[in-house]
Every structure is written in C-alpha cells, then in structure tokens.
Amino acid sequence: MPRGTTLAFIALPLLALSLAYYAQSSSSPLGPAPHLGTGLQLSLALSGFIGYAQAAVQAPFRFKLSEQPAEAVLEADGCDEQGYALAPRPRFTRKIIAVGDIHGDIGNAERILQMAGVVDEDNNWSGNVDVFVQTGDIIDRGDDTIELFNWMEDLREQALAVNGIVLTVLGNHEYMNAIGDWRYVLDSEKKTFEPRGSRLEAVTTGWLAHAWAANYTTAARLPLHGLLGPPNTDYPPPKGSAFARANAGPLSHAAFSFVHGGLAPAYPNLQPFPSAINNLGSSLLRRLMERKPQPQPHPPSSYPGLPAGTTREEARLYGADGPLWYRGWADDDEKKACSKVDEVLAKTGTRRMVMGHTPQFDAIAARCDGKVLIIDTGISHAYGGALSALSIEYTLEPVNGGGWKEQEVVKALYADYDDELLVSSTRDLDGDLW
Ligand SMILES: *[C@@H]1O[C@H](CO)[C@@H](O)[C@H](O)[C@H]1NC(C)=O
Ligand SMILES: *[C@@H]1O[C@H](CO)[C@@H](O)[C@H](O)[C@H]1NC(C)=O
C-alpha cells in the first residue's frame, strides 16, 4: 500500500535524476560530468531537497542538505507491481550513552566511557555511539576539573566531525562554583589551577564559565528520531512546524529528558521544554558573570548568594524544586513519585526522564516502569560507588505490509559487573510517521 508522501520522496528524485541524466547525456557524449549544466543543477537541488526529508528518516541527526548525496536516493528498496518505486523504509537505530556525576575523577570517567564504547583506548571519540550525554556535576570532590572539562570539549569536537553528538548538562555543583559556594572544592584541586591563573576567574568570567555558557545547558531533550527534530527541539513544537506534525503522529513523545536533579511536577517552567529552563539558566549564568567585583568564595568568605537583580524565576531554577537540586524522583516513595510521572512526561514531550544528583551507590535505579532513570552511582573515588553508564538503544524497523516496529532497550552498563536490562519496550506504529 504505497503512501502518497513517502512515494513522492523516492519517485520524484528518481524522475528528476533521470531527466537530468537524459539532459546531460544528450549534451555530452561522455556522460555525466562533475561540472553540470543548469538542468542537472536544478534537478540535483530538487533531489537534494527531497533527500532532506529522507535524510531525516535514514540518519535522524543529520540535517545538512549538502551531506545528502544524490545516490542515497537511488538506494531505495524495490518497486511495487506497477513499477513505481515504493517508499524507502530503512531500518534505523540510535545508540545513546548517558553518564552521571563524575566529581573530579578522570580515571573512573575514562574507564566508564571506554567500557560503554563512547571512546577508544586513547580516550578519543570512538564513533560507536551516536550520542553521549553527561548529566552534570563534573566538578568538586576531586582534582581533575581541568582535564575533565577539556576532555568534554575535545569529545564534542571529535563527535561533531563524524556526526556524533555530545550533550552536556550543568549540575548544581557547576552553578555552586560560579556562585561562589566552594564548600566541596579540594585544596589539591585549587592547586591544579595555579599554573593557568586564577580559579575564581576561570569559574566566573574565564574559560570554564565561557564553556558552560556556550556549550552546556541546564536541561536537555533528546528526540530518539530525527523527524521529531534535533537535540533540544522544544516541546511543544511551534504550531505548523514539521516537528509538530511528527509529534502529532505515532512517534509522539519519543524523546528522553536529561537534567541534573529532576523535573519536579510543581516546577513552573516545564514548557516549552527545555528552552524555558535553559533561558533561565543562561540569564542566571550571565548575571553571575557580570558581577563586579566577583565576590570571594565561601569558605573562608561568607556565602555570597545569588547576584543582585536575580529574578524570582532564576532563583527558583536554583531552588529546592528546580532542575538542579530536586530529589523527589529518587527519594519519594514509589507510589507518590509514580503518580506524577506521566504528567511531567506529557508536558515535556518525553517518554522517560534521566537524572543524576542523588547517588544510588550500587546500581542505576529505574523507577515507575523505567520512566524515571537515576544514573548517579557515586562514580568518583570520593564515593566509591559503581562505575556505571546508561545505554539506550532505539530501533525503528519497517514491518512488511506497512507500519513500523519501534523498540527501546535501556540497560545499565557496569565496569565491574554484568549489564542489567532495565527496559525493553516494543510498540507497533500504524501508518505514516508524519
Ligand atoms: C586523539 O585525538 C587527538 C586530538 O584529536 C589526536 O591528537 C590524537 O592523535 C588522537 N589519538 C589517537 C591515538 O588517535
Ligand atoms: C564550544 O564547542 C565548540 C564545538 O566543539 C567549540 O568550537 C567551542 O570552542 C566551544 N566553546 C567554548 C567556549 O569552549
């Protein structure tokens, strides 16, 4: 049963390419050449455009038209009995690894990222996962602040070069350092900054503060499928947008959220998610950067608190039920917590939420049927907990005769013991994906 829209994706570019080929070969006995006439350029533009939509199906995180070679259009799988090309319905997968609080321990972080396949034995991006997410609290309780944040930026760059993605989320401890709450900073760690100048400058107005402002967010939303948009596409999506159409279809809410503490049901800035939270985070960080002079940190000075001019909403972002500090999903009893989960998932356009912050020393905790995943296992030697990573494998495969089979497999990976299956969820999707 051919579908109008998807049929057009394959039929139109094939038509365009054959016309182009015809135009080209009739003017050149040598056949298609790299320097092409107007006819072919136009057709390539058309197939490139159609390739865009197809690219979203085949490679959910690739959005650049230029990366979509015309040949990809020709890789369709077959024709129906009238000889029309059927919709290309490739199987595709996404592999996501998320790691919680690292707290200044690069040795354990390297073991985990190697174990989970994010990096190779030289700690360079391996290319074997699509997305790596870190949920904050890289700083404090250990000495390796500088190395760890530099490593995150290296991985971000290496990942980008091969269409991988690194998503980094700020924890309460990153904000504490920017604010001047240094209660968990080791003296030995302070010494690691000395050759590079002032630690206070680094975390308030210098290189670290700039990295946090530019490349870290306070919340992240990761659609599992590119039709729902690239990472941090807002939910609800703007009315009339392509992502709104996909969200109205069977892929609706096929996304995960990542924050450091948790998304409290009563927290007022859940929508649009994640930009409402991230805009508040950006403005608070900017306010912190602009303090003149920067207050001396506590201890030994007294706690400087949030800067003058901080809005009520910014203060609440950093409050006990804000995304940086909330512990309800970990600490509330299961019945109470789980009665509120669906409400938060519905508002944030997600199926599951991932968070760190509240250590579960033995194992990653999956609560409420795996809708709540708590991944801080006290990784740093400061805690001596389990060396863990969360693995999410998403698969969408075509079913003969129409529809799709969608699968999410969520596992806890451990450096020192066996993996544990947390969620295996399969659903049948009928009809077009959007
Ligand atoms: C790891 O990446 C760095 C930076 O790109 C590079 O200089 C180094 O050669 C890489 N190491 C290996 C063994 O590939
Ligand atoms: C943010 O990441 C980009 C891409 O890897 C990098 O080029 C840039 O230098 C980073 N910005 C900061 C301030 O670290």
Side-chain angles (χ1 to χ4, degrees):
M1 166 201 59
R3 288 151 220 190
T5 47
T6 36
L7 180 64
F9 288 158
I10 184 63
L12 279 177
L14 279 176
L15 180 66
L17 276 180
S18 18
L19 282 174
Y21 184 83
Y22 177 74
Q24 173 61 25
S25 43
S26 63
S27 64
S28 158
L30 299 176
H35 48 88
L36 302 161
T38 321
L40 187 45
Q41 268 164 18
L42 263 180
S43 326
L44 280 178
L46 176 61
S47 61
F49 170 73
I50 292 155
Y52 167 82
Q54 207 186 355
V57 175
Q58 292 180 329
F61 294 116
R62 284 167 212 173
F63 279 89
K64 289 195 201 109
L65 303 188
S66 58
E67 282 166 8
Q68 200 47 37
E71 303 84 72
V73 171
L74 300 171
E75 286 166 9
D77 45 19
C79 298
D80 71 5
E81 56 281 4
Q82 280 96 41
Y84 291 111
L86 283 177
R89 288 160 42 86
R91 172 184 196 270
F92 67 81
T93 62
R94 279 292 154 236
K95 186 169 168 74
I96 300 152
I97 296 287
V99 172
D101 310 40
I102 292 173
H103 281 309
D105 190 335
I106 197 161
N108 283 353
E110 287 171 353
R111 268 195 76 194
I112 290 170
L113 267 66
Q114 287 185 15
M115 169 274 289
V118 176
V119 299
D120 59 24
E121 64 274 19
D122 301 307
N123 300 314
N124 283 329
W125 186 260
S126 71
N128 295 333
V129 307
D130 300 295
V131 187
F132 167 61
V133 189
Q134 203 284 325
T135 56
D137 279 13
I138 288 175
I139 204 167
D140 283 351
R141 302 184 196 277
D143 286 348
D144 304 330
T145 307
I146 295 173
E147 279 183 276
L148 280 164
F149 284 107
N150 283 334
W151 188 34
M152 290 302 125
E153 292 315 309
D154 289 347
L155 291 181
R156 197 188 308 284
E157 199 86 36
Q158 292 170 1
L160 268 178
V162 293
N163 282 306
I165 290 167
V166 170
L167 282 181
T168 43
V169 167
L170 295 166
N172 60 305
H173 280 263
E174 279 80 30
Y175 274 91
M176 286 166 82
N177 273 267
I179 290 166
D181 182 349
W182 287 24
R183 283 173 295 157
Y184 302 95
V185 183
L186 304 186
D187 285 335
S188 49
E189 189 257 15
K190 289 179 190 161
K191 293 207 173 66
T192 66
F193 278 80
E194 281 163 13
R196 290 183 66 142
S198 157
R199 185 184 195 278
L200 180 60
E201 189 193 315
V203 301
T204 55
T205 59
W207 67 275
L208 253 180
H210 279 107
W212 295 340
N215 289 340
Y216 286 67
T217 59
T218 303
R221 177 172 178 268
L222 180 63
L224 296 169
H225 193 294
L227 288 173
L228 299 174
N232 290 336
T233 297
D234 264 340
Y235 187 88
K239 286 202 173 61
S241 67
F243 306 142
R245 269 164 76 206
N247 258 297
L251 288 175
S252 177
H253 290 63
F256 278 44
S257 72
F258 299 86
V259 296
H260 178 69
L263 298 167
Y267 182 70
N269 291 300
L270 291 177
Q271 284 193 321
F273 183 78
S275 69
I277 287 174
N278 290 336
N279 291 341
L280 290 170
S282 300
S283 62
L284 180 54
L285 286 176
R286 202 174 319 120
R287 235 179 260 293
L288 288 163
M289 251 186 204
E290 286 167 357
R291 284 184 303 188
K292 280 199 187 84
Q294 286 291 336
Q296 288 304 306
H298 164 73
S301 297
S302 57
Y303 176 56
L306 296 177
T310 298
T311 66
R312 205 182 276 260
E313 283 180 304
E314 288 162 5
R316 185 145 181 189
L317 179 84
Y318 192 69
D321 79 346
L324 294 156
W325 287 96
Y326 186 64
R327 296 187 196 273
W329 299 119
D331 288 350
D332 287 350
D333 73 71
E334 186 108 357
K335 194 157 162 253
K336 178 174 176 211
C338 300
S339 70
K340 304 275 190 181
V341 166
D342 289 336
E343 182 191 316
V344 176
L345 295 176
K347 274 190 190 167
T348 54
T350 54
R351 290 188 187 156
R352 305 179 197 282
M353 43 186 166
V354 181
M355 66 214 81
H357 189 49
T358 308
Q360 322 283 312
F361 295 109
D362 299 327
I364 286 176
R367 305 186 85 194
C368 316
D369 299 324
K371 293 174 183 171
V372 171
L373 297 158
I374 305 163
I375 64 170
D376 175 9
T377 57
I379 283 166
S380 170
H381 61 76
Y383 287 109
L387 303 192
S388 68
L390 186 77
S391 154
I392 301 158
E393 288 168 297
Y394 179 75
T395 313
L396 189 64
E397 49 193 333
V399 175
N400 279 344
W404 299 81
K405 191 175 113 183
E406 188 190 42
Q407 189 176 42
E408 286 166 67
V409 177
V410 182
K411 285 186 255 180
L413 312 181
Y414 298 103
D416 298 311
Y417 30 95
D418 292 344
D419 301 351
E420 189 189 349
L421 180 67
L422 302 176
V423 175
S424 177
S425 159
T426 306
R427 62 186 91 195
D428 297 315
L429 310 182
D430 293 326
D432 285 334
L433 294 177
W434 85 104

